[in-house]
């Protein structure tokens, strides 16, 4: 006589939403309490409600327009970084000689502060959005390259041997084995790269000048000692970064349900 095991109770999947909200509430409460307890002047650190008033008041449309400009720079540069990063990762993993020759150069180039390259990009491409997009590409493509290479190289040797024993072609092995195996790490690189893309956009706006973007909002607010507007711009930047991160995480859950089930 066999007995069936009782189905395991699954905890409702709400922690991914509730816990960040709780942490955010604690952060805002700590910010508000610190400003009130130590009586910090508004010109130094504004209270949360003052920054929110800037976001919802007369400058709301202005902040939205500047945020959309920065968001366009981020996703244009990040899209280019994905294409360049994936192509480069495929080339390096397909040739050991190329990997040994190029990888040290990539590591060294990634260690160079991009703020040092920014002025040269402005000289070459001007004060338009092109130089800012290139800074985004330079900051965000390295995690894509690294994660894609790591995923493609992490396929177990016995799995490759099994496909070879079944007379599978290299293309079929690549598409059916290597790509699915590499996708989880690829998405990890995307989630890291999108955060760096926002940093790159703001750095590009700091260096490249112009009168558009959240970077411009922060610089102009600083020159006018409008710390509430600067904090509003920083909050908009953080909000866009978080939403973009979760868009990539949602795409990962949608495209790789098997990876979520394996890790559960």
């Amino acid at each position: 006589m066999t007995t069936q095991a009782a189905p395991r109770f699954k905890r409702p999947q709400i922690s991914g939403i509730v816990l960040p909200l709780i942490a955010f509430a604690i952060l805002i409460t700590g910010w508000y309490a610190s400003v009130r307890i130590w009586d910090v002047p508004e010109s130094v650190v504004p209270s949360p409600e003052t920054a929110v008033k800037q976001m919802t008041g007369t400058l709301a449309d202005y902040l939205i327009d500047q945020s959309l400009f920065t968001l366009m720079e981020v996703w244009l540069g990040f899209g280019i970084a994905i294409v360049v990063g994936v192509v480069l990762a495929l080339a390096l993993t397909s040739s050991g000689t190329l990997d040994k020759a190029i990888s040290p150069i990539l590591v060294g180039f990634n260690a160079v502060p991009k703020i040092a390259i920014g002025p040269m990009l402005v000289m070459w491409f001007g004060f338009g959005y092109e130089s800012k997009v290139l800074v985004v590409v330079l900051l965000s493509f390295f995690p894509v390259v690294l994660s894609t290479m790591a995923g493609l190289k992490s396929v177990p040797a016995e799995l490759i041997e099994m496909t070879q024993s079944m007379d599978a072609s290299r293309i079929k092995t690549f598409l059916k084995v290597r790509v699915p195996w590499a996708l989880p790490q690829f998405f990890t690189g995307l989630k890291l790269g999108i955060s760096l893309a926002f940093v790159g956009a703001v750095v590009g706006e700091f260096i490249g000048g112009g009168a558009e973007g959240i970077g411009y909002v922060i610089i102009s607010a600083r020159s006018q000692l409008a710390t509430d507007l600067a904090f509003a711009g920083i909050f908009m930047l953080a909000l866009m970064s978080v939403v973009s991160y979760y868009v990539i995480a949602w795409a990962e859950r949608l495209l790789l349900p098997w990876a979520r089930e394996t890790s559960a």
Side-chain angles (χ1 to χ4, degrees), residues 174-196:
F174 176 78
L175 294 176
K176 298 291 186 179
V177 178
R178 290 190 180 275
V179 170
W181 197 274
L183 281 176
Q185 294 198 51
F186 169 70
F187 273 98
T188 299
L190 293 187
K191 288 184 284 188
L192 177 59
I194 192 63
S195 300
L196 294 175

Side-chain angles (χ1 to χ4, degrees), residues 135-206:
V135 176
V136 174
V137 174
L138 293 177
L139 255 77
S140 59
F141 96 102
F142 188 74
V144 178
V145 175
L146 203 62
S147 62
T148 305
M149 288 181 62
L152 292 172
K153 290 181 177 181
S154 65
V155 182
E158 57 270 18
L159 195 58
I160 299 297
E161 292 174 358
M162 183 181 70
T163 58
Q164 290 175 346
S165 67
M166 300 171 65
D167 293 330
S169 63
R170 292 187 62 181
I171 295 179
K172 200 167 186 179
T173 300
F174 176 78
L175 294 176
K176 298 291 186 179
V177 178
R178 290 190 180 275
V179 170
W181 197 274
L183 281 176
Q185 294 198 51
F186 169 70
F187 273 98
T188 299
L190 293 187
K191 288 184 284 188
L192 177 59
I194 192 63
S195 300
L196 294 175
F198 278 94
V199 175
V202 175
V203 169
E205 290 166 356
F206 283 170

Side-chain angles (χ1 to χ4, degrees), residues 32-184:
Y32 183 85
S34 300
V35 170
R36 289 290 179 259
I37 291 173
W38 284 285
D39 196 20
V40 180
E42 290 283 338
S43 60
V44 177
V45 178
S47 60
E49 66 267 26
T50 305
V52 171
K53 284 180 183 177
Q54 286 284 9
M55 296 175 58
T56 58
T58 56
L59 293 178
D61 292 339
Y62 170 73
L63 285 171
I64 290 174
D65 290 341
Q66 302 305 320
S67 298
L68 291 177
F69 184 83
T70 298
L71 193 64
M72 181 272 293
E73 291 175 346
V74 166
W75 278 101
L76 178 58
F78 190 53
I80 296 173
I82 292 174
V83 174
V84 173
V86 170
V87 171
L88 187 58
L90 291 175
L92 295 181
T93 52
S94 63
S95 172
T97 302
L98 195 63
D99 186 9
K100 293 177 182 177
I102 302 298
S103 289
I105 298 175
L106 284 177
V107 173
F109 181 76
N110 187 62
V112 176
K114 304 307 179 288
I115 196 169
I117 304 175
M120 291 186 290
L121 294 178
V122 173
M123 286 193 301
W124 296 335
F125 298 98
F127 291 96
Y129 73 92
E130 293 88 351
S131 58
K132 303 174 180 66
V133 169
L134 281 173
V135 176
V136 174
V137 174
L138 293 177
L139 255 77
S140 59
F141 96 102
F142 188 74
V144 178
V145 175
L146 203 62
S147 62
T148 305
M149 288 181 62
L152 292 172
K153 290 181 177 181
S154 65
V155 182
E158 57 270 18
L159 195 58
I160 299 297
E161 292 174 358
M162 183 181 70
T163 58
Q164 290 175 346
S165 67
M166 300 171 65
D167 293 330
S169 63
R170 292 187 62 181
I171 295 179
K172 200 167 186 179
T173 300
F174 176 78
L175 294 176
K176 298 291 186 179
V177 178
R178 290 190 180 275
V179 170
W181 197 274
L183 281 176

